[in-house]
Amino acid sequence: MTDVDAVFRALADPTRRRILDRLHERGGQTLGELCDGLEMSRQAVSKHLTQLESAGLLSAVRRGREKLHHLDPVPIQEIHDRWIGKFERSRVQAITNLRAALEDRDAHDE
């Protein structure tokens, strides 16, 4: 099970979200590649990667001397299922009920 608090903390930072977006676009990036376009030191980016990894949002695989980082979307999906999905269901149900009521009203007007 995912530590939801750690995931929310990791996602709260815009730099970490940007890193995740970049890994979503192209997985398997090195620290150096992820540093490109971020105006911060390699050490600062490395700290962000450590927090993302500890939250379970990315995994790293060694390939020779390189460490390749990959997005792990499972914790985000778990948050969606637990926190967002249930709200979507009620909204969809409300729309369904509204549609049925309007169709019923139209049937009575005819």
Side-chain angles (χ1 to χ4, degrees):
M1 185 74 183
T2 300
D3 178 358
V4 176
D5 290 336
V7 174
F8 277 118
R9 279 191 303 273
L11 293 174
D13 185 274
T15 299
R16 290 191 286 272
R17 291 191 307 269
R18 186 169 176 201
I19 290 169
L20 291 175
D21 285 340
R22 291 177 65 185
L23 289 173
H24 179 260
E25 291 170 9
R26 185 175 64 82
Q29 294 186 55
T30 64
L31 173 61
E33 291 170 321
L34 290 169
C35 287
D36 289 343
L38 296 175
E39 296 181 14
M40 57 181 58
S41 68
R42 288 175 62 92
Q43 183 179 14
V45 174
S46 182
K47 287 182 180 183
H48 285 295
L49 291 173
T50 298
Q51 187 158 5
L52 289 167
E53 191 168 5
S54 68
L57 291 165
L58 67 82
S59 60
V61 177
R62 288 234 176 248
R63 185 181 69 192
R65 292 176 39 161
E66 293 182 321
K67 187 175 181 181
L68 305 177
H69 299 89
H70 298 273
L71 171 66
D72 183 348
V74 171
I76 296 171
Q77 182 64 47
E78 289 174 347
I79 286 173
H80 175 271
D81 293 347
R82 180 173 176 192
W83 295 100
I84 299 168
K86 66 183 172 187
F87 297 111
E88 286 179 356
R89 283 189 293 273
S90 64
R91 186 175 64 206
V92 169
Q93 186 61 50
I95 292 170
T96 302
N97 293 342
L98 177 62
R99 179 182 296 159
L102 292 172
E103 288 171 354
D104 188 44
R105 186 191 71 186
D106 289 344
H108 288 302
D109 288 344
E110 291 177 3

